[in-house]
Amino acid sequence: MAIFAQTIRMEKIKIGITSGDINGIGLEVILKALKNPSILELFTPVLYGNIKISSYHKNIVQLDNLSFHVLHQGEKPKAGKLNLVNCWNDTVTINLGKASPDGGKYALLSLEKAVEDVVKGDIDAIVTAPVNKASMRLAGSIHLGHTSYLKEKAGVNDVLMMMLSHKLKVGLVTDHIPLSQVPSTLSKELISRKIQIMEESLRKDFGIPKPQIAVLGLNPHAGEEGLLGNEEESFIRPAVIEAKKNGLFVSGPYPSDGFFGSGMFSKFDGILAMFHDQGLIPFKTLSFNSGVNYTAGLPFVRTSPDHGTAFEIAGKNMADPGSMIQAMYWAKDLILEKRGYVEMRQNVLKKRPKLSEEMSE
C-alpha cells in the first residue's frame, strides 16, 4: 500500500504524533523519521509534546536543520513543516532511561490532546510513540498502555491489537497480561469477538473482500485432541465453527510452532494468536524494525512502532527509526484505504481499454 499512497500527493493528510515517554527513545525515532524532507511531502505531521523537550531530543540526534513550526490556538497545521502542539508549559526534568512520574504524566497529556483532535477531525490519524507501564503507574494513571485508554475514549466495546508488516498480520486475543492469566481469560465469546473485529478490519481497513483467517491453538500441538489441554476443544474450536457458520473464512486451531515453521502463515490474510508472545515472537522474528502495531476496531486510525521505550539506549542516538517510519506510512495508507482511494483506483483501471485495444487504435 505504501507505494500507491505516495503517488496521491494532493491529499493533505494530517497525522498526529504523540511524544510518548520523554525519557525513552520515542522523540529520537520521531525526529529521525521526519528529518527527510521527502517524508514531509507525503503527509502533514503534527507532533504533540513540548517545544523544550523536543528541542532537547533534537540536539541529542544532532538535527540542526530540522525546525519546529509551533501551532498557536486555532492555527491550522502547515504542510511541509514539522508542526508542534505545545501541550504543556511546565519546567520538566528529563531522566533519560528511567521510569518516572513525569514520564507517564506528559506521555498521557500528549495522548489526550491528540485523541481530542482526531475525534474533532482536526487530524486524520494518530501515531503513538512508546510509553512505559511503570512510568504510567507512577503517574497514577489507571491506563498503563495506549490500548485501554483509546478504547475508553472511543467508546467502543472492544478492540484488537494487530501487528502489521508486509509479510503478515497478527492479532492477539489477549495482549498485556501475565501468561498465568491467559487460560482463565480466554472464552468462546472473547475469541469470537476478536475474530469478528479482525475480519471486519481486514475488509474495511485493508481492502480484502474475503479475508482468510487462521486461529492458533493455546497448547502444544493445539491440545493434541485434549491430551495436552482442553482449551482448544472447549472454546477455541467452537469459536472457529461459529465463525464459519456466520460465513467467515476462518480455520484452526493450528499448532503455532508448525504453523509458522512450515511457512503456512503466508497462505492467510490474518492470524489470530491466543497470547502476546505466541504472536509477537514469530512476528518480530520476521519483521523486526519494520513492524507496526495497529489498533483495529477504533473509529479512527492509530498505529505505533512495534518496540517499547528502550530505556537502555535512550539518549545515546542509537535508536533505529525504521518501525516509526513504517507506522507513519501505514497510518497514511490506512486513511487512504478508508477514504476509498484503493477502490477508486481499481475502478479506474477496470475502465481502461485492454492493451490489445490500445494498440489497435
Side-chain angles (χ1 to χ4, degrees):
M1 286 197 302
I3 295 176
F4 170 58
Q6 294 177 29
T7 66
I8 307 179
R9 303 210 174 174
M10 70 287 292
E11 282 300 314
K12 297 179 181 178
I13 290 176
K14 297 180 288 295
I15 296 180
I17 307 162
T18 66
S19 295
D21 195 307
I22 59 175
N23 297 315
I25 65 168
L27 280 163
E28 178 181 335
V29 294
I30 290 168
L31 298 174
K32 285 181 175 179
L34 296 174
K35 70 178 182 180
N36 190 333
S38 64
I39 293 183
L40 297 179
E41 293 177 10
L42 300 180
F43 57 87
T44 301
V46 183
L47 176 60
Y48 290 83
N50 173 267
I51 183 64
K52 291 181 179 179
I53 299 293
S54 300
S55 297
Y56 177 89
H57 282 273
K58 188 183 80 166
N59 291 334
I60 290 176
V61 294
Q62 301 174 6
L63 296 176
D64 296 334
N65 295 329
L66 186 66
S67 59
F68 301 108
H69 176 69
V70 181
L71 296 178
H72 300 288
Q73 186 73 29
E75 185 180 1
K76 293 184 178 180
K78 190 173 183 179
K81 299 289 185 180
L82 173 47
N83 301 273
L84 187 145
V85 176
N86 209 55
C87 298
W88 67 87
N89 293 309
D90 308 345
T91 299
V92 181
T93 300
I94 298 177
N95 295 291
L96 289 173
K98 296 181 180 179
S100 72
D102 281 351
K105 174 183 177 180
Y106 294 109
L108 189 58
L109 281 176
S110 170
L111 180 62
E112 286 175 348
K113 180 58 178 172
V115 170
E116 178 185 322
D117 283 358
V118 78
V119 169
K120 290 191 301 184
D122 292 342
I123 56 175
D124 301 301
I126 299 176
V127 175
T128 58
V131 297
N132 180 271
K133 289 178 173 55
S135 294
M136 299 294 279
R137 181 180 287 109
L138 289 170
S141 173
I142 61 171
H143 302 286
L144 301 184
H146 290 104
T147 305
S148 63
Y149 177 87
L150 294 169
K151 175 183 170 182
E152 178 185 295
K153 294 300 178 182
V156 295
N157 293 327
D158 203 358
V159 294
L160 175 69
M161 178 179 172
M162 190 152 65
M163 306 304 295
L164 313 176
S165 75
H166 294 292
K167 295 179 181 179
L168 70 167
K169 299 176 180 65
V170 178
L172 305 179
V173 176
T174 64
D175 39 61
H176 296 112
I177 64 172
L179 186 59
S180 60
Q181 296 178 14
V182 170
S184 61
T185 301
L186 292 174
S187 66
K188 177 190 171 186
E189 292 72 25
L190 177 62
I191 297 168
S192 296
R193 197 160 64 242
K194 300 295 185 178
I195 290 173
Q196 185 176 0
I197 295 173
M198 173 172 271
E199 195 275 341
E200 185 173 341
S201 179
L202 291 171
R203 279 190 296 106
K204 294 184 177 180
D205 300 338
F206 299 92
I208 304 172
K210 296 179 180 180
Q212 304 282 334
I213 297 174
V215 177
L216 302 181
L218 173 67
N219 297 294
H221 302 180
E224 197 79 77
E225 297 183 354
L227 295 175
L228 300 178
N230 59 12
E231 286 83 2
E232 284 77 11
E233 301 305 319
S234 297
F235 40 76
I236 300 177
R237 195 180 306 279
V240 171
I241 293 172
E242 181 180 273
K244 287 181 176 180
K245 289 181 179 179
N246 291 332
L248 307 187
F249 297 90
V250 182
S251 56
Y254 294 103
S256 57
D257 57 348
F259 181 83
F260 287 105
S262 67
M264 192 175 183
F265 67 87
S266 63
K267 299 179 181 180
F268 292 89
D269 301 302
I271 301 154
L272 191 63
M274 293 298 112
F275 59 94
H276 184 277
D277 283 14
Q278 183 186 48
L280 269 290
I281 288 174
F283 180 85
K284 291 194 175 185
T285 299
L286 294 167
S287 306
F288 196 68
N289 282 335
S290 64
V292 170
N293 181 356
Y294 174 56
T295 308
L298 292 172
F300 51 82
V301 169
R302 177 262 173 162
T303 64
S304 71
D306 68 349
H307 57 72
T309 51
F311 279 163
E312 67 277 5
I313 61 170
K316 298 180 181 179
N317 198 13
M318 295 171 56
D320 188 328
S323 185
M324 176 58 77
I325 292 172
Q326 289 300 317
M328 294 174 181
Y329 282 155
W330 276 103
K332 178 178 171 62
D333 292 340
L334 285 161
I335 287 295
L336 291 173
E337 185 72 52
K338 284 178 176 290
R339 291 182 178 179
Y341 277 95
V342 171
E343 182 180 351
M344 179 183 72
R345 178 174 180 268
Q346 290 172 343
N347 289 337
V348 170
L349 291 175
K350 287 178 182 178
K351 294 177 182 178
R352 287 187 58 185
K354 296 180 180 179
L355 181 60
S356 58
E357 296 172 349
E358 290 176 333
M359 294 181 66
S360 65
E361 292 180 356

